[in-house]
Amino acid sequence: MFFIYDFAMIMQFNSRYSDLNAKLYHQQAPVPLKGAKAGHFNEAIADELQWTSQEKQSWVDICSGQKTFDAFKPLAMVYAGHQFGQWAGQLGDGRGLLIGQVLHRSGQTIDLHLKGAGLTPYSRMGDGRAVLRSVIREYLAGHALNSLRVASSNAIGFTTSEQGVQRETLEQGAMLLRTSDCHIRLGHFEWINQYAPELLAEFTQKCIEWHYPEALQAEHPILAFAEGVIKNTAKMIADWQLVGFAHGVMNTDNLNITGSTLDFGPYGFMERFRPNWINNHSDHQGRYAYQNQPSIAHWNLWIWLNNLIPLSKPEDKETFKKQLADCLEHFEPTFLTAYTEGLCKKLGLPDFHKDSFDCGMAFLKVLQSEQLDYTQSFLRLQNHDYKALRDDCLDTRQFDDFLNLYHQIREHQDITALDQTMCDVNPVYILRNHMAQQAIEQAERGDFSEVERLFTLLAKPFTRQPALEKEQDLAPLPSDVPEIMVSCSS
Ligand code: AMP
Ligand code: MG
């Protein structure tokens, strides 16, 4: 008799969040999505997380809260935060549950978080649900950022249903199974400091063990941890700026301690280059405008560091405060180095040349004053299509000044190598708002083919895919077409 062994791996759990003090979470089962139907499944991630063929077959049940894992009791996390610069008090997973912590093939522990899973003690005025529109936006954006090599949450899949959920209009309910290396937010520390300060030392110790184990070897692990969080966040923000991503709601409860993008709401990818661009139409002050992201991250980290102060001995408090402030000094150089190096790569300029950064700024100035498409313009530069760029400029002198400097810098360099780098880092495809919108509108009519098309396209953003692409993937909508309004409601 022959047995057919399933050589696929078996999902391995590392259920550690529930080791923490029970004040930090509430264990409860998801409320399943009624009449759930398949939306889209990211089988590659399921494979990386070692799902068995049986689990893969049950993905709709898992991604709609009907099936949970015996090895993990689902839980909602409590946290707090500053929203739009104001202390917001207690927050928490109001509609999402951690339903598993599992090992990635690489050995890293990945959280499985089911979004739209029903009311929790932290739902406040919300209904515990997520709508198809925002679930698709989160699904595609996480996938797009990961493919662009920007640290970010991702998702295994999403489901949809006829169950109505009220937002500005009645929309379709949906659920998303999100993956992230970390769901511990800056706001977790704010909650502990405010409501359960006795938990701070142990919580911090766990964060270090789980997410910054190398800091345990440092002379002062807490400071090494703080420095790690600051540097990772600075690097993430540099990556956002380079691909033209605006998060939209950089509240302290929406940034995690590993510096990977979390909680997609009214985000957007930059089209026509406008540094003061605000994609979130509820952000009237422009607090979270594209150009403010570095300074907002710095502000958030400063708020966060204040919550570490009680970890010092009373007699060392002043020294410790100074040491924490010194950690924050790492933010700007880390950001600037990553941003400058990245910008030089995008432009095909050597980062060691003294004029490269200025040349990059001159290019961005052209894009800004001529309202050119950010992604498309780097591609034109990469293709040496200077004429097309120039033809789109009203102020050709400004463009010529840039181009002269550009050629001067590249003159004695290895152009082939620089051009190859440009091809490696400049995406052909980003998730433009109108692309996501098209996929959403079709999905709301029960047709997921556009989600599938974008999913495939955005999996390889640096590679031209003529058979798959549509003309509108490559450029912004004409400037006389009204912009798509992206609101906070999700
Ligand atoms: P956000 O700004 O979208 O990250 O949400 C802020 C807080 O509101 C988080 O604690 C969310 O869990 C909660 N929240 C957002 N939408 C809902 C909803 N529909 N039901 C319950 N809680 C929600
Ligand atoms: Mg949030």
Side-chain angles (χ1 to χ4, degrees), residues 234-283:
K235 172 78 174 57
M236 172 185 75
I237 303 287
D239 288 342
W240 287 1
Q241 302 305 100
L242 288 164
V243 296
F245 176 79
H247 182 283
V249 203
M250 287 177 67
N251 295 332
T252 55
D253 55 303
N254 288 339
L255 292 193
N256 69 14
I257 58 163
T258 57
S260 62
T261 315
L262 196 65
D263 277 15
F264 294 92
Y267 70 83
F269 285 85
M270 179 84 81
E271 298 192 78
R272 294 177 204 284
F273 188 66
R274 278 180 290 159
N276 59 359
W277 171 58
I278 310 157
N279 195 57
N280 177 357
H281 289 272
S282 316
D283 181 8

Side-chain angles (χ1 to χ4, degrees), residues 79 83 91-96 119 122-130 167 185 249 251 253-254 263 488 490:
Y79 46 84
Q83 299 186 319
L91 304 165
D93 292 331
R95 53 165 165 177
L119 291 170
Y122 320 118
S123 298
R124 299 184 297 162
M125 310 299 284
D127 56 9
R129 292 301 185 187
R167 294 293 178 259
R185 299 143 194 272
V249 203
N251 295 332
D253 55 303
N254 288 339
D263 277 15
C488 249
S490 59

Side-chain angles (χ1 to χ4, degrees), residues 29 71-72 79 95 133 137 140 155 196 198 267 332 368 391 436 471:
F72 196 96
Y79 46 84
R95 53 165 165 177
R133 167 178 52 86
R137 281 176 52 84
L140 290 176
E198 73 283 4
Y267 70 83
E332 195 174 313
Q368 183 182 359
D391 286 349
E471 201 183 328

Side-chain angles (χ1 to χ4, degrees), residues 431-451:
L431 181 61
R432 299 173 187 275
N433 269 340
H434 63 262
M435 293 160 72
Q437 192 58 29
Q438 181 68 41
I440 291 165
E441 284 171 20
Q442 279 184 224
E444 286 175 342
R445 296 193 297 268
D447 170 8
F448 291 88
S449 60
E450 188 62 7
V451 172

